[in-house]
């Protein structure tokens, strides 16, 4: 059994090594393959490998400074909610796409870290400005990607709390 989900971890320190185009394409395909409500085409992606843009994205929040040391970042972008069939489900669609990319990254031995942007307006405004988004679309998340510095970055933490698992009703 492949244990990509069980061994996926947030990685914030990367080797100075580019991610090849084929792997980037697989990451994007994973994002597009994620489920959406009513197949509403609610997502787009911005692939960022330009160091100047990565340095700017590093300033989006206090928790994103490590982006400047990463070779790649993918912005998960939500479409204008006013144009969607089920706008209230858009954030779930985007979270699903983000997760799919994280799992695909793990399967390729690429480290990743999800930086939440939406719904924090200050972060959204900064990220949108940096990426030139001003048409009702919005940056939902940033996925920072690279090959981990630590060869032991992926492991199974075995921290499950089965006291929080219920069958048929919460007790």
């Amino acid at each position: 059994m492949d244990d990509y989900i069980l061994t996926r971890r947030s990685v914030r320190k990367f080797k100075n090594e580019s991610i090849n185009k084929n792997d980037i394409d697989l990451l994007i395909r994973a994002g597009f393959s994620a489920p959406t409500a009513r197949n509403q085409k609610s997502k787009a992606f911005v692939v960022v490998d330009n160091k100047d843009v990565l340095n700017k994205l590093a300033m989006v929040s206090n928790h994103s400074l490590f982006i400047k040391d990463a070779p790649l970042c993918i912005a998960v972008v939500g479409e204008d909610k006013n144009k969607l069939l089920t706008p209230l489900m858009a954030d779930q669609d985007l979270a699903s796409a983000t997760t799919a990319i994280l799992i695909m990254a793990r399967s390729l031995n690429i480290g990743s870290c999800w930086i939440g942007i939406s719904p924090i307006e200050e972060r959204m405004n900064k990220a949108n400005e940096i990426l030139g988004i001003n048409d009702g679309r919005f940056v939902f998340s940033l996925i920072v990607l690279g090959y981990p510095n630590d060869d032991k970055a992926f492991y199974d933490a075995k921290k499950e709390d089965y006291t929080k698992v219920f069958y048929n009703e919460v007790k």
Side-chain angles (χ1 to χ4, degrees), residues 63-127:
H63 305 289
S64 61
L65 297 174
F66 67 98
I67 293 175
K68 66 182 175 40
D69 298 321
L72 187 75
C73 181
I74 296 175
V76 178
V77 177
E79 294 294 338
D80 184 342
K81 288 184 181 182
N82 295 318
K83 297 178 182 176
L84 298 177
L85 294 170
T86 54
L88 293 177
M89 302 312 250
D91 288 351
Q92 291 182 48
D93 297 350
L94 299 167
S96 180
T98 301
T99 301
I101 292 170
L102 295 172
I103 295 167
M104 178 58 78
R106 172 60 192 98
S107 78
L108 299 169
N109 290 318
I110 296 171
S112 63
C113 188
W114 176 340
I115 297 176
I117 301 299
S118 177
I120 302 170
E121 199 160 326
E122 180 182 352
R123 290 182 186 182
M124 291 170 65
N125 290 340
K126 283 182 185 178

Side-chain angles (χ1 to χ4, degrees), residues 3-164:
D3 57 355
Y4 302 130
I5 293 173
L6 300 178
T7 59
R8 193 216 61 79
R9 294 286 167 266
S10 293
V11 175
R12 294 177 180 85
K13 294 184 180 180
F14 306 101
K15 294 178 181 175
N16 187 16
E17 184 179 334
S18 296
I19 297 172
N20 72 57
K21 175 82 167 87
N22 289 338
D23 286 348
I24 294 170
D25 289 344
L26 287 171
L27 294 166
I28 296 302
R29 284 182 61 201
F32 278 126
S33 296
T36 61
R38 299 179 69 190
N39 194 28
Q40 66 181 342
K41 310 285 189 237
S42 54
K43 58 199 171 213
F45 304 98
V46 179
V47 178
V48 179
D49 60 1
N50 177 289
K51 275 297 178 191
D52 291 335
V53 181
L54 290 168
N55 286 336
K56 290 176 185 175
L57 287 174
M59 306 312 292
V60 167
S61 84
N62 291 335
H63 305 289
S64 61
L65 297 174
F66 67 98
I67 293 175
K68 66 182 175 40
D69 298 321
L72 187 75
C73 181
I74 296 175
V76 178
V77 177
E79 294 294 338
D80 184 342
K81 288 184 181 182
N82 295 318
K83 297 178 182 176
L84 298 177
L85 294 170
T86 54
L88 293 177
M89 302 312 250
D91 288 351
Q92 291 182 48
D93 297 350
L94 299 167
S96 180
T98 301
T99 301
I101 292 170
L102 295 172
I103 295 167
M104 178 58 78
R106 172 60 192 98
S107 78
L108 299 169
N109 290 318
I110 296 171
S112 63
C113 188
W114 176 340
I115 297 176
I117 301 299
S118 177
I120 302 170
E121 199 160 326
E122 180 182 352
R123 290 182 186 182
M124 291 170 65
N125 290 340
K126 283 182 185 178
N128 285 357
E129 180 182 339
I130 292 164
L131 298 175
I133 299 170
N134 57 11
D135 57 358
R137 292 181 289 177
F138 62 98
V139 176
F140 174 79
S141 63
L142 297 174
I143 305 170
V144 188
L145 297 147
Y147 297 102
N149 257 353
D150 182 355
D151 291 335
K152 297 177 184 173
F154 305 121
Y155 58 92
D156 186 348
K158 295 185 179 21
K159 294 182 182 177
E160 296 87 359
D161 181 358
Y162 286 99
T163 65
K164 298 186 184 266

